[in-house]
Amino acid sequence: MALSSPKLKWLIVRLGQDMNWWVEETSDPINWDTVDGLSILDPRQIAYVIDSADQLVDYGLQSSLINDAFYKFHIVSDLGNGRIKLERVKDSLLDMSEPLFALPDIVDEEKGPYADLISQITVARVKMLNDVIEFEQRFTIEELEEEIREHQNNEYMEGKSVHAFAELTSILEYVPEGYEIDRDEEEIVIDHEEEGTGLDEEFPDLEEEDIEEDETMRWGDEGEEELDEYEEEEEGEGDFEDEPKKRKKDRD
């Protein structure tokens, strides 16, 4: 990919049966030469990430990193069959006047804004864990990174693409095996019916049966380890607007 993407003006994205959005086509096929396994966060997911990251501000995380790490898009049309067209905007994710999708800036996968965000939330999460848990030995960044990397490698070996939302939450919610965090402020809820968000009005009515299978997506309950912190509180019917509320769940 090129070092900048001035021609990245619109995207066509598709909703998978895993309720994640995946990029199908871009306006800039030269600089964004492949969209295989390219994921994008929907408005509810990016709002969840922002809320989850708030608890790490006291541990050195700068909220502005989140805004810098993504290209922002809004919905312009429903193309049917679980597909929508998005148009790029310059709005801030931290002060959204409308629901926005967020595409990770992975132009430079190792040193770009999204890579920097991943690094910074990792550092801040480790600081928080050492602050709230009495470890026998201080927990390290290397230990967290090694476990996350091992899990992602297993996904890749199985031919599965790791969604950016799963990548972020795997760090933001990480608790070492054998420990738990019992703090009210750790619990953040994605409320799909929250008044005043405008999400229900903005999102098209997409039925799961209209979605075509893509080999980059994870179907059903298979391979959902990245989101194993979330549990359905009530059964849904499959519509995106009616997706059940999900709550964070501490690992054992």
Side-chain angles (χ1 to χ4, degrees), residues 182-200:
D182 185 15
R183 303 199 320 173
D184 291 340
E185 56 266 35
E186 275 276 298
E187 186 174 351
I188 302 170
V189 180
I190 301 180
D191 190 342
H192 291 172
E193 298 177 358
E194 182 180 352
E195 264 186 52
T197 61
L199 294 181
D200 291 337

Side-chain angles (χ1 to χ4, degrees), residues 146-159:
E146 181 178 358
E147 184 165 336
I148 297 297
R149 184 165 52 249
E150 180 180 356
H151 176 70
Q152 291 180 347
N153 287 340
N154 290 337
E155 293 290 288
Y156 291 133
M157 290 293 291
E158 295 176 13

Side-chain angles (χ1 to χ4, degrees), residues 83-102:
R83 299 161 68 245
I84 58 178
K85 185 174 182 178
L86 306 176
E87 187 176 81
R88 188 170 169 184
V89 295
K90 295 181 179 180
D91 300 30
S92 171
L93 294 174
L94 304 179
D95 186 24
M96 289 186 285
S97 58
E98 64 174 323
L100 297 178
F101 283 70

Side-chain angles (χ1 to χ4, degrees), residues 158-176:
E158 295 176 13
K160 301 170 185 175
S161 297
V162 177
H163 196 277
F165 181 62
E167 181 179 27
L168 288 162
T169 54
S170 66
I171 303 171
L172 289 166
E173 301 172 357
Y174 179 83
V175 179

